[in-house]
């Protein structure tokens, strides 16, 4: 259960992944509690750095940066690590600094953030499982790949889920900023909505440009039209609409495969 704990390239089974989680948990908690004594406002940063360092180390050793599921788990690690931040600011009082709810908030980043890290430690080196059992989600990070209709639907679903994580990240960050008084709370809802819209628009445009660039189809009228539609749909409907033309772009042939 606890074997090869320092081998970040090792593919763990369920029991070993649980052992990895249990082994890392005390270290993360100790780091958070040490920080609490001197740098109370940096608690969530410590949990974030600890969890993300482990996740990035695993991804580097296993060469998983081109694996969509791994990138998704890395995003979830980030979200889970800062999940306790808002609760932390809401529960702290001047009289009861270490109440039960505050302790949960302090340690929540480590408790939650290490779960996707443990899952990462159990992943293989490639997309063999996804390709075999979930073919509609294969090659999600290969933007030059020409997808079938079903694969384009899988691309849409996968990046829509990633968009939801982006929305949650923006929400948590700005709520935390509002709670500590950096932006006025009455204006925070408008600011959050505006920020979410901007982030999603940039995200969709980036995906569209990445596909067009990797497929070398900047001279293709249909591709340019879909790129413009991406901008329009993103402004009107965020990820739900904006990812439709992006998914259509992913089903187009690369320039080298097109007839001359």
């Amino acid at each position: 259960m606890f074997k090869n704990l320092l081998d970040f390239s090792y593919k763990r089974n369920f029991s070993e992944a649980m052992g990895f989680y249990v082994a890392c948990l005390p270290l993360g908690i100790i780091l958070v509690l040490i920080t609490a004594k001197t740098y109370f406002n940096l608690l969530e940063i410590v949990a974030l750095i600890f969890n993300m360092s482990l996740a990035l180390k695993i991804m580097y050793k296993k060469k998983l940066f081109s694996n969509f599921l791994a990138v998704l788990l890395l995003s979830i690690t980030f979200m889970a690590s800062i999940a306790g931040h808002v609760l932390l600011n809401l529960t702290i009082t001047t009289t009861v600094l270490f109440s039960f709810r505050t302790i949960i908030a302090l340690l929540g980043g480590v408790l939650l953030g290490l779960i996707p890290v443990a899952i990462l430690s159990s992943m293989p080196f490639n997309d063999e499982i996804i390709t075999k059992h979930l073919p509609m989600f294969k090659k999600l990070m290969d933007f030059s790949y020409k997808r079938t209709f079903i694969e384009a639907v899988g691309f849409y679903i996968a990046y829509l889920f990633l968009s939801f994580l982006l929305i949650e990240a923006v929400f948590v960050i700005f709520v935390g900023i509002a709670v500590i008084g950096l932006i006025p709370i009455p204006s925070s809802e408008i600011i959050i909505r505006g920020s979410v819209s901007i982030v999603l628009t940039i995200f969709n445009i980036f995906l569209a440009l990445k596909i067009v660039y990797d497929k070398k189809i900047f001279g293709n009228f249909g591709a340019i039209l879909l790129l413009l539609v991406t901008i329009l749909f993103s402004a009107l409907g965020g990820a739900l609409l904006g990812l439709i033309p992006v998914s259509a772009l992913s089903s187009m042939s690369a320039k080298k495969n097109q007839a001359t």
Side-chain angles (χ1 to χ4, degrees):
M1 180 179 185
F2 294 104
K3 71 177 183 180
N4 297 329
L5 288 175
L6 294 179
D7 185 356
F8 293 96
S9 64
Y10 178 60
K11 181 186 180 300
R12 307 177 199 283
N13 56 36
F14 178 78
S15 175
E16 291 167 343
M18 287 293 295
F20 182 81
Y21 177 87
V22 171
C24 293
L25 189 59
L27 180 58
I29 290 175
I30 290 171
L31 286 174
V32 168
L33 291 179
I34 290 175
T35 306
K37 297 184 65 176
T38 50
Y39 303 103
F40 193 75
N41 292 328
L42 297 179
L43 288 172
E44 65 276 5
I45 303 299
V46 172
L48 177 65
I49 293 175
F50 177 71
N51 295 334
M52 291 294 286
S53 297
L54 290 174
L56 288 170
K57 180 70 172 179
I58 293 170
M59 290 181 67
Y60 173 76
K61 285 293 186 178
K62 292 189 175 185
K63 299 177 174 60
L64 291 173
F65 285 102
S66 61
N67 184 303
F68 180 83
L69 181 57
V71 173
L72 194 62
L73 285 169
L74 182 67
S75 303
I76 294 173
T77 300
F78 174 83
M79 281 299 304
S81 299
I82 63 175
H85 176 64
V86 175
L87 180 59
L88 174 64
N89 285 288
L90 291 175
T91 56
I92 290 177
T93 64
T94 55
T95 55
V96 186
L97 188 60
F98 287 98
S99 65
F100 175 74
R101 292 179 64 198
T102 304
I103 291 294
I104 295 299
L106 296 179
L107 305 183
V110 179
L111 290 168
L112 296 176
L114 280 176
I115 295 174
V117 176
I119 297 174
L120 267 174
S121 74
S122 67
M123 288 187 64
F125 280 85
N126 50 46
D127 293 327
E128 180 181 349
I129 295 177
I130 292 178
T131 302
K132 183 177 180 180
H133 300 288
L134 296 169
M136 71 182 294
F137 295 108
K138 71 179 182 182
K139 296 186 177 182
L140 288 172
M141 297 292 286
D142 184 354
F143 296 99
S144 65
Y145 177 61
K146 182 182 184 300
R147 305 180 195 282
T148 64
F149 175 77
I150 294 299
E151 291 168 346
V153 172
F155 181 90
Y156 176 88
I157 293 172
Y159 280 93
L160 184 63
F161 185 76
L162 187 58
S163 297
F164 291 155
L165 288 178
L166 282 176
I167 293 173
E168 289 299 320
V170 172
F171 177 78
V172 169
I173 290 171
F174 276 93
V175 168
I177 292 174
V179 168
I180 62 178
L182 293 182
I183 58 175
I185 292 181
S187 306
S188 60
E189 183 178 351
I190 298 174
I191 294 173
I192 290 172
R193 287 183 178 180
S195 300
V196 166
S197 178
I198 292 172
V199 168
L200 289 180
T201 300
I202 293 173
F203 178 68
N204 293 338
I205 293 173
F206 169 79
L207 289 177
L209 286 172
K210 178 65 174 172
I211 292 170
V212 171
Y213 175 79
D214 283 6
K215 293 190 175 189
K216 298 177 174 60
I217 52 175
F218 277 107
N220 185 304
F221 176 78
I224 299 302
L225 184 61
L226 284 171
L227 184 59
L228 294 175
V229 173
T230 298
I231 298 173
L232 176 62
F233 278 21
S234 298
L236 294 175
L240 284 172
L241 291 181
L243 283 174
I244 295 175
V246 175
S247 301
L249 274 171
S250 75
S251 66
M252 294 184 66
S253 298
K255 184 178 181 180
K256 62 181 180 180
N257 294 327
Q258 293 176 331
T260 57

